[in-house]
Amino acid sequence: MGANLSSSFADPNVYSLVGSLCLQPSPPPPRIKPGLGDLPESCVALVLEYLNPSEICRLAKLNRAFRGASWADFVWESKLPVNYEDLIERVFGDGLEDKLCKREVYTRLCRANTFDDGTKKAWLDKRTGGVCLSIASKGLAITGIDDRRYWNHIPTEESSFNSVAYLQQIWWFEVDGQFEFPFPTGTYSLFFRLQLGRAAKRFGRRICNTEHVHGWDIKPVQFQLWTSDGQYASSQCFLEDPGKWNLYHAGDFVVDGTNASTKLKFSMTQIDCTHTKGGLCLDSILVYPCKLKEGLGHF
Protein backbone atom coordinates (compact mmCIF):
# COMPACT_ATOMS: atom_id res chain seq x y z
CA MET A 1 0.00 0.00 0.00
CA GLY A 2 2.85 2.39 0.82
CA ALA A 3 4.54 1.50 -2.42
CA ASN A 4 1.41 2.24 -4.43
CA LEU A 5 1.07 5.64 -2.74
CA SER A 6 4.70 6.58 -3.34
CA SER A 7 4.48 5.43 -6.94
CA SER A 8 1.50 7.61 -7.55
CA PHE A 9 3.43 10.66 -6.41
CA ALA A 10 6.34 9.67 -8.56
CA ASP A 11 4.17 9.24 -11.65
CA PRO A 12 4.97 12.07 -14.10
CA ASN A 13 1.44 11.96 -15.48
CA VAL A 14 0.09 12.99 -12.10
CA TYR A 15 2.44 16.01 -12.02
CA SER A 16 1.30 16.92 -15.50
CA LEU A 17 -2.34 16.81 -14.48
CA VAL A 18 -1.82 18.88 -11.34
CA GLY A 19 0.26 21.49 -13.21
CA SER A 20 -2.33 21.88 -15.92
CA LEU A 21 -5.02 22.46 -13.34
CA CYS A 22 -2.97 25.09 -11.53
CA LEU A 23 -1.81 26.93 -14.65
CA GLN A 24 -5.18 27.04 -16.41
CA PRO A 25 -6.13 30.74 -16.80
CA SER A 26 -9.32 32.00 -15.16
CA PRO A 27 -12.08 33.15 -17.52
CA PRO A 28 -11.95 36.89 -18.33
CA PRO A 29 -14.42 39.14 -16.50
CA PRO A 30 -17.48 40.17 -18.52
CA ARG A 31 -16.91 43.37 -20.51
CA ILE A 32 -18.91 46.36 -19.24
CA LYS A 33 -20.49 48.34 -22.06
CA PRO A 34 -19.97 52.11 -21.85
CA GLY A 35 -23.03 54.19 -20.93
CA LEU A 36 -24.09 57.81 -20.86
CA GLY A 37 -22.36 58.27 -17.54
CA ASP A 38 -19.00 57.62 -19.20
CA LEU A 39 -19.29 60.63 -21.51
CA PRO A 40 -17.02 63.54 -20.60
CA GLU A 41 -18.89 66.57 -19.26
CA SER A 42 -17.40 68.76 -21.99
CA CYS A 43 -18.93 66.54 -24.70
CA VAL A 44 -22.30 66.44 -22.94
CA ALA A 45 -22.30 70.23 -22.64
CA LEU A 46 -21.80 70.58 -26.40
CA VAL A 47 -24.98 68.53 -26.92
CA LEU A 48 -26.98 70.43 -24.29
CA GLU A 49 -26.17 73.71 -26.02
CA TYR A 50 -28.58 72.73 -28.83
CA LEU A 51 -31.50 71.95 -26.51
CA ASN A 52 -34.05 74.26 -24.96
CA PRO A 53 -33.92 75.07 -21.21
CA SER A 54 -36.66 72.65 -20.16
CA GLU A 55 -34.93 69.78 -21.98
CA ILE A 56 -31.60 70.67 -20.38
CA CYS A 57 -33.14 70.55 -16.91
CA ARG A 58 -34.74 67.17 -17.57
CA LEU A 59 -31.50 65.64 -18.86
CA ALA A 60 -29.57 67.02 -15.88
CA LYS A 61 -31.36 64.40 -13.77
CA LEU A 62 -29.86 61.47 -15.72
CA ASN A 63 -26.47 61.22 -14.02
CA ARG A 64 -23.53 63.14 -12.64
CA ALA A 65 -22.00 63.92 -16.04
CA PHE A 66 -25.21 65.50 -17.36
CA ARG A 67 -25.78 67.34 -14.10
CA GLY A 68 -22.31 68.85 -14.19
CA ALA A 69 -22.57 69.73 -17.88
CA SER A 70 -25.89 71.48 -17.30
CA TRP A 71 -24.04 74.16 -15.30
CA ALA A 72 -21.63 75.10 -18.10
CA ASP A 73 -21.72 78.86 -18.68
CA PHE A 74 -21.61 78.64 -22.46
CA VAL A 75 -24.71 76.39 -22.46
CA TRP A 76 -26.84 79.00 -20.73
CA GLU A 77 -25.27 82.04 -22.36
CA SER A 78 -26.67 80.71 -25.63
CA LYS A 79 -30.18 80.81 -24.07
CA LEU A 80 -29.91 84.33 -22.70
CA PRO A 81 -30.90 87.37 -24.82
CA VAL A 82 -27.98 88.94 -26.65
CA ASN A 83 -28.30 92.07 -24.52
CA TYR A 84 -28.88 90.28 -21.22
CA GLU A 85 -26.29 92.51 -19.52
CA ASP A 86 -28.42 95.57 -20.33
CA LEU A 87 -31.50 93.79 -19.00
CA ILE A 88 -29.74 92.97 -15.74
CA GLU A 89 -28.62 96.55 -15.29
CA ARG A 90 -32.13 97.92 -16.01
CA VAL A 91 -33.97 95.49 -13.74
CA PHE A 92 -31.49 94.69 -10.95
CA GLY A 93 -28.78 97.32 -11.16
CA ASP A 94 -25.06 96.70 -11.55
CA GLY A 95 -23.07 93.72 -10.29
CA LEU A 96 -25.55 90.81 -10.43
CA GLU A 97 -23.89 89.01 -13.34
CA ASP A 98 -20.53 89.06 -11.54
CA LYS A 99 -22.00 87.22 -8.56
CA LEU A 100 -23.92 84.50 -10.40
CA CYS A 101 -23.12 81.88 -13.03
CA LYS A 102 -25.02 82.01 -16.32
CA ARG A 103 -27.53 79.34 -15.29
CA GLU A 104 -28.38 81.31 -12.14
CA VAL A 105 -28.68 84.50 -14.22
CA TYR A 106 -31.13 82.73 -16.55
CA THR A 107 -33.13 81.39 -13.59
CA ARG A 108 -33.31 84.83 -12.01
CA LEU A 109 -34.44 86.49 -15.24
CA CYS A 110 -37.21 83.91 -15.69
CA ARG A 111 -38.87 85.14 -12.51
CA ALA A 112 -41.30 88.07 -12.55
CA ASN A 113 -38.80 90.66 -11.36
CA THR A 114 -40.30 93.86 -9.96
CA PHE A 115 -38.57 97.22 -10.49
CA ASP A 116 -39.28 100.98 -10.75
CA ASP A 117 -40.87 101.19 -7.28
CA GLY A 118 -42.98 98.11 -7.86
CA THR A 119 -44.81 99.46 -10.93
CA LYS A 120 -43.13 97.20 -13.51
CA LYS A 121 -42.22 93.53 -13.91
CA ALA A 122 -39.93 91.89 -16.45
CA TRP A 123 -39.22 88.22 -17.10
CA LEU A 124 -38.03 85.73 -19.73
CA ASP A 125 -40.46 83.22 -21.20
CA LYS A 126 -39.10 79.87 -19.95
CA ARG A 127 -39.84 78.06 -23.20
CA THR A 128 -38.49 80.55 -25.74
CA GLY A 129 -36.32 82.96 -23.74
CA GLY A 130 -38.33 85.91 -25.06
CA VAL A 131 -38.45 89.09 -22.96
CA CYS A 132 -41.84 90.05 -21.48
CA LEU A 133 -42.84 93.17 -19.56
CA SER A 134 -45.86 94.39 -17.59
CA ILE A 135 -46.71 97.82 -16.16
CA ALA A 136 -49.15 98.21 -13.27
CA SER A 137 -52.08 100.62 -13.36
CA LYS A 138 -50.23 102.69 -10.72
CA GLY A 139 -47.47 103.23 -13.28
CA LEU A 140 -49.84 104.86 -15.80
CA ALA A 141 -51.18 108.38 -16.21
CA ILE A 142 -54.96 108.10 -15.78
CA THR A 143 -57.20 111.15 -16.19
CA GLY A 144 -59.15 111.74 -12.98
CA ILE A 145 -57.31 109.08 -10.96
CA ASP A 146 -56.96 111.42 -7.96
CA ASP A 147 -60.72 112.08 -7.79
CA ARG A 148 -62.40 109.23 -5.96
CA ARG A 149 -65.73 110.09 -7.54
CA TYR A 150 -64.31 108.57 -10.72
CA TRP A 151 -61.46 106.16 -9.95
CA ASN A 152 -60.28 104.00 -7.07
CA HIS A 153 -57.33 101.66 -6.59
CA ILE A 154 -58.75 98.45 -5.18
CA PRO A 155 -56.82 95.40 -3.86
CA THR A 156 -57.36 92.07 -5.61
CA GLU A 157 -55.71 88.67 -5.94
CA GLU A 158 -56.53 88.67 -9.66
CA SER A 159 -53.68 91.05 -10.47
CA SER A 160 -49.99 90.17 -10.36
CA PHE A 161 -49.54 93.63 -8.78
CA ASN A 162 -52.29 92.90 -6.19
CA SER A 163 -54.13 96.09 -7.16
CA VAL A 164 -56.23 97.41 -10.06
CA ALA A 165 -57.69 100.79 -10.99
CA TYR A 166 -61.49 100.72 -10.97
CA LEU A 167 -63.55 103.30 -12.88
CA GLN A 168 -67.02 104.02 -11.51
CA GLN A 169 -68.08 106.66 -14.05
CA ILE A 170 -66.48 109.37 -16.18
CA TRP A 171 -67.11 111.48 -19.27
CA TRP A 172 -63.54 111.81 -20.57
CA PHE A 173 -61.72 108.47 -20.46
CA GLU A 174 -57.97 108.60 -21.10
CA VAL A 175 -55.07 106.40 -20.02
CA ASP A 176 -51.50 107.20 -21.10
CA GLY A 177 -48.11 105.73 -20.42
CA GLN A 178 -44.54 105.76 -21.58
CA PHE A 179 -41.34 103.94 -20.71
CA GLU A 180 -37.89 103.03 -22.00
CA PHE A 181 -36.57 99.47 -21.95
CA PRO A 182 -33.71 97.49 -23.56
CA PHE A 183 -35.76 95.03 -25.60
CA PRO A 184 -33.70 92.54 -27.64
CA THR A 185 -34.11 92.51 -31.42
CA GLY A 186 -37.53 91.23 -32.45
CA THR A 187 -41.20 92.10 -32.96
CA TYR A 188 -43.40 92.79 -29.93
CA SER A 189 -47.09 93.27 -29.17
CA LEU A 190 -48.60 95.61 -26.57
CA PHE A 191 -51.84 94.77 -24.76
CA PHE A 192 -54.15 96.36 -22.19
CA ARG A 193 -55.48 93.91 -19.59
CA LEU A 194 -59.07 94.98 -18.80
CA GLN A 195 -62.26 93.68 -17.26
CA LEU A 196 -65.80 95.01 -17.27
CA GLY A 197 -67.21 94.72 -13.76
CA ARG A 198 -65.69 94.46 -10.30
CA ALA A 199 -64.83 90.96 -9.11
CA ALA A 200 -65.10 89.83 -5.49
CA LYS A 201 -65.46 86.64 -3.48
CA ARG A 202 -68.54 85.61 -1.54
CA PHE A 203 -68.59 82.39 0.47
CA GLY A 204 -65.44 81.32 -1.35
CA ARG A 205 -66.92 81.79 -4.82
CA ARG A 206 -65.98 84.43 -7.36
CA ILE A 207 -68.70 86.90 -8.28
CA CYS A 208 -68.57 89.97 -10.50
CA ASN A 209 -70.57 93.14 -9.84
CA THR A 210 -71.53 94.71 -13.19
CA GLU A 211 -73.74 97.42 -11.69
CA HIS A 212 -71.61 100.31 -13.01
CA VAL A 213 -70.84 98.82 -16.45
CA HIS A 214 -72.18 101.14 -19.14
CA GLY A 215 -71.20 103.21 -22.16
CA TRP A 216 -68.65 100.85 -23.74
CA ASP A 217 -71.05 99.58 -26.40
CA ILE A 218 -71.86 103.06 -27.76
CA LYS A 219 -68.48 104.09 -29.16
CA PRO A 220 -65.29 102.00 -29.50
CA VAL A 221 -62.19 102.55 -27.42
CA GLN A 222 -59.10 103.66 -29.34
CA PHE A 223 -55.68 102.18 -28.59
CA GLN A 224 -52.50 103.86 -29.87
CA LEU A 225 -48.80 103.10 -29.77
CA TRP A 226 -45.75 105.21 -30.71
CA THR A 227 -42.01 104.42 -30.64
CA SER A 228 -39.02 106.75 -30.52
CA ASP A 229 -37.93 105.70 -34.02
CA GLY A 230 -41.20 106.77 -35.65
CA GLN A 231 -43.33 103.63 -35.60
CA TYR A 232 -47.07 104.04 -35.01
CA ALA A 233 -49.93 101.59 -34.56
CA SER A 234 -53.58 101.99 -33.60
CA SER A 235 -56.70 99.89 -33.19
CA GLN A 236 -60.30 100.31 -32.10
CA CYS A 237 -62.47 97.92 -30.18
CA PHE A 238 -65.75 97.79 -28.25
CA LEU A 239 -65.22 96.51 -24.72
CA GLU A 240 -67.33 93.44 -24.01
CA ASP A 241 -67.55 90.16 -22.09
CA PRO A 242 -68.28 91.42 -18.52
CA GLY A 243 -66.75 89.47 -15.68
CA LYS A 244 -63.71 88.19 -17.61
CA TRP A 245 -60.19 89.54 -17.93
CA ASN A 246 -59.30 90.17 -21.56
CA LEU A 247 -56.21 91.38 -23.41
CA TYR A 248 -56.92 94.16 -25.90
CA HIS A 249 -54.28 94.46 -28.60
CA ALA A 250 -53.01 98.03 -29.08
CA GLY A 251 -50.42 97.30 -31.76
CA ASP A 252 -47.02 95.83 -32.67
CA PHE A 253 -43.57 97.38 -32.88
CA VAL A 254 -40.19 96.21 -34.17
CA VAL A 255 -36.84 96.45 -32.39
CA ASP A 256 -33.94 96.26 -34.85
CA GLY A 257 -31.09 96.60 -32.36
CA THR A 258 -29.95 99.98 -33.67
CA ASN A 259 -30.48 101.61 -30.27
CA ALA A 260 -29.54 100.23 -26.86
CA SER A 261 -33.10 100.78 -25.61
CA THR A 262 -36.54 101.49 -27.05
CA LYS A 263 -38.82 104.34 -25.95
CA LEU A 264 -42.54 103.58 -26.09
CA LYS A 265 -45.60 105.75 -25.65
CA PHE A 266 -49.14 104.35 -25.64
CA SER A 267 -52.69 105.39 -24.86
CA MET A 268 -56.25 104.16 -24.47
CA THR A 269 -59.03 106.71 -24.98
CA GLN A 270 -62.77 107.10 -25.27
CA ILE A 271 -63.30 110.86 -25.24
CA ASP A 272 -66.77 111.16 -26.76
CA CYS A 273 -68.38 113.33 -24.08
CA THR A 274 -71.94 112.74 -25.29
CA HIS A 275 -72.22 109.90 -22.81
CA THR A 276 -70.57 108.56 -19.65
CA LYS A 277 -68.85 105.19 -19.27
CA GLY A 278 -67.95 103.19 -16.20
CA GLY A 279 -67.59 99.86 -14.45
CA LEU A 280 -64.11 99.13 -15.84
CA CYS A 281 -61.12 97.49 -14.12
CA LEU A 282 -57.69 98.38 -15.51
CA ASP A 283 -55.01 95.97 -14.37
CA SER A 284 -51.88 96.48 -16.43
CA ILE A 285 -50.09 96.86 -19.76
CA LEU A 286 -48.40 93.76 -21.18
CA VAL A 287 -45.64 93.57 -23.79
CA TYR A 288 -44.94 90.14 -25.31
CA PRO A 289 -42.86 88.91 -28.25
CA CYS A 290 -45.19 88.43 -31.23
CA LYS A 291 -44.29 84.75 -31.44
CA LEU A 292 -46.03 84.27 -28.08
CA LYS A 293 -49.14 86.19 -29.10
CA GLU A 294 -50.94 83.13 -30.45
CA GLY A 295 -51.03 81.57 -27.01
CA LEU A 296 -52.77 84.61 -25.50
CA GLY A 297 -56.50 85.17 -25.56
CA HIS A 298 -57.00 88.72 -26.81
CA PHE A 299 -59.19 91.04 -28.92
Side-chain angles (χ1 to χ4, degrees), residues 80-81 84 87-88 91-92 104-113 122-124:
L80 289 166
Y84 73 92
L87 290 173
I88 291 173
V91 177
F92 302 107
E104 291 171 329
V105 169
Y106 185 90
T107 302
R108 185 71 67 88
L109 286 175
C110 284
R111 301 172 185 169
N113 301 286
W123 67 95
L124 297 184

Side-chain angles (χ1 to χ4, degrees), residues 36-174:
L36 290 175
D38 299 313
L39 290 172
E41 285 187 10
S42 58
C43 294
V44 175
L46 290 173
V47 175
L48 297 182
E49 187 179 8
Y50 291 93
L51 304 179
N52 63 47
S54 59
E55 292 171 335
I56 293 173
C57 293
R58 285 199 299 268
L59 289 177
K61 300 176 182 179
L62 282 178
N63 53 50
R64 184 178 299 175
F66 276 76
R67 183 166 58 253
S70 70
W71 285 90
D73 272 353
F74 75 88
V75 170
W76 291 98
E77 191 162 12
S78 65
K79 313 305 173 190
L80 289 166
V82 176
N83 67 335
Y84 73 92
E85 295 176 347
D86 296 329
L87 290 173
I88 291 173
E89 183 177 357
R90 179 69 177 86
V91 177
F92 302 107
D94 295 328
L96 179 66
E97 61 176 320
D98 297 329
K99 302 175 184 177
L100 304 176
C101 68
K102 295 299 186 290
R103 175 171 171 169
E104 291 171 329
V105 169
Y106 185 90
T107 302
R108 185 71 67 88
L109 286 175
C110 284
R111 301 172 185 169
N113 301 286
T114 304
F115 61 105
D116 282 0
D117 298 324
T119 61
K120 298 181 180 67
K121 291 186 178 184
W123 67 95
L124 297 184
D125 178 68
K126 293 181 180 180
R127 183 172 55 87
T128 64
V131 175
C132 307
L133 179 79
S134 64
I135 305 175
S137 58
K138 290 184 178 180
L140 305 175
I142 303 175
T143 300
I145 190 64
D146 295 326
D147 192 329
R148 303 194 70 176
R149 293 175 300 171
Y150 306 128
W151 288 92
N152 286 288
H153 285 291
I154 59 175
T156 176
E157 297 177 355
E158 298 186 358
S159 169
S160 61
F161 294 97
N162 298 316
S163 173
V164 298
Y166 178 68
L167 172 66
Q168 297 188 76
Q169 179 173 290
I170 204 166
W171 292 88
W172 183 286
F173 175 80
E174 183 173 6

